Amino acid sequence: MQRTQFAKKGYFEVVGGDTGKLYRIYPGTMSNVCEIDENGRPRLGLCFRTMGELPVGDVMLAQKIALENCESSVLAVARSFVPNVFMFRRGRLLG
């Protein structure tokens, strides 16, 4: 499902394992995750990434796994920001 969503929309969504909040992961390695509100719009941006240099797809997978399995730890270290519409324009897709 996430692979299809990513192919069609240029992002994929995951559900936080602790709170059940919905997050959208856009292509990128930093400042590419947003908490989604009840209307399907980005509410809060989150900046967190892996240690070391990894390919974009690997970083996105790590972000997905972290939100699903240790959301509280992610939220404790992530820096938040106010997202805007220009930050997440659909660009070149991975794969």
Side-chain angles (χ1 to χ4, degrees):
M1 179 177 148
Q2 289 168 333
R3 184 176 181 148
T4 301
Q5 185 180 40
F6 185 74
K8 287 183 179 179
K9 298 187 176 189
Y11 60 78
F12 61 92
E13 294 174 341
V14 300
V15 176
D18 298 328
T19 66
K21 291 181 181 177
L22 185 64
Y23 297 94
R24 189 172 290 161
I25 300 177
Y26 295 89
T29 60
M30 293 188 322
S31 302
N32 64 312
V33 178
C34 286
E35 180 184 320
I36 302 303
D37 70 15
E38 59 279 348
N39 296 315
R41 288 178 277 199
R43 185 187 86 70
L44 177 69
L46 297 173
C47 183
F48 67 100
R49 62 167 292 165
T50 59
M51 299 274 297
E53 298 298 319
L54 292 174
V56 172
D58 290 354
V59 173
M60 293 168 64
L61 177 60
Q63 290 169 328
K64 166 192 160 38
I65 292 169
L67 286 167
E68 290 175 336
N69 294 290
C70 52
E71 179 187 13
S72 296
S73 296
V74 168
L75 296 177
V77 299
R79 294 185 185 226
S80 60
F81 62 93
V82 177
N84 67 50
V85 295
F86 300 107
M87 296 179 85
F88 304 109
R89 281 196 248 181
R90 188 173 180 153
R92 182 176 161 259
L93 297 180
L94 304 175

